Amino acid sequence: QGQLVESGGGLVQAGGSLRLSCAASGQTFSTNDMGWGWFRQAPGKLRALVARINWSGDSTYYTDSVKGRFTISRDNAKNTVYLQMNSLKPEDTAVYYCAAKPSWSVDYNSWGQGTQVTVSS
């Protein structure tokens, strides 16, 4: 059984930066043929996709509100995915989750436990 573990969340002032990491372990993630995503859920809101990256790392997607500020990347050798978050805003405050799926699948079927990001104004 595979496991995803996020880290790097915390409290930061508006305009600051954080780097989230998602480390995958277990047989499920031993292949590089996986797509990865970062989601977030703010209080009272639905969980939403923030960014995603394909298995090779040459295709990425960002939701409009984070374009130009966030960067998703992956290190297949380490089975780790990152989310670099710059110019953070109070509206970025949320629990951030990483997720993984087989490249052929539309749905993410593996989720981390989440890490809290709080941006103060």
Side-chain angles (χ1 to χ4, degrees):
Q1 189 72 18
Q3 185 179 14
L4 302 179
V5 179
E6 301 102 334
S7 61
L11 173 64
V12 64
Q13 289 188 333
S17 299
L18 285 174
R19 187 195 195 201
L20 305 183
S21 299
C22 175
S25 62
Q27 185 65 30
T28 304
F29 306 108
S30 64
T31 176
N32 289 332
D33 191 22
M34 301 286 288
W36 299 85
W38 283 99
F39 293 74
R40 67 186 179 187
Q41 186 169 18
K45 295 188 177 180
L46 297 175
R47 188 177 301 185
L49 177 66
V50 175
R52 66 169 181 252
I53 189 168
N54 70 338
W55 69 274
S56 62
D58 61 0
S59 177
T60 57
Y61 162 85
Y62 299 93
T63 193
D64 286 346
S65 61
V66 308
K67 284 181 181 177
R69 300 189 297 122
F70 290 12
T71 303
I72 188 171
S73 62
R74 62 186 296 167
D75 184 336
N76 288 341
K78 296 182 179 179
N79 265 356
T80 301
V81 178
Y82 305 96
L83 186 67
Q84 178 67 44
M85 305 186 295
N86 299 327
S87 301
L88 282 162
K89 304 175 181 180
E91 51 263 44
D92 294 318
T93 294
V95 178
Y96 283 71
Y97 299 88
C98 72
K101 65 178 183 70
S103 292
W104 50 262
S105 175
V106 174
D107 298 320
Y108 290 85
N109 58 1
S110 298
W111 293 83
Q113 82 287 352
T115 185
Q116 176 70 46
V117 171
T118 303
V119 184
S120 63
S121 57

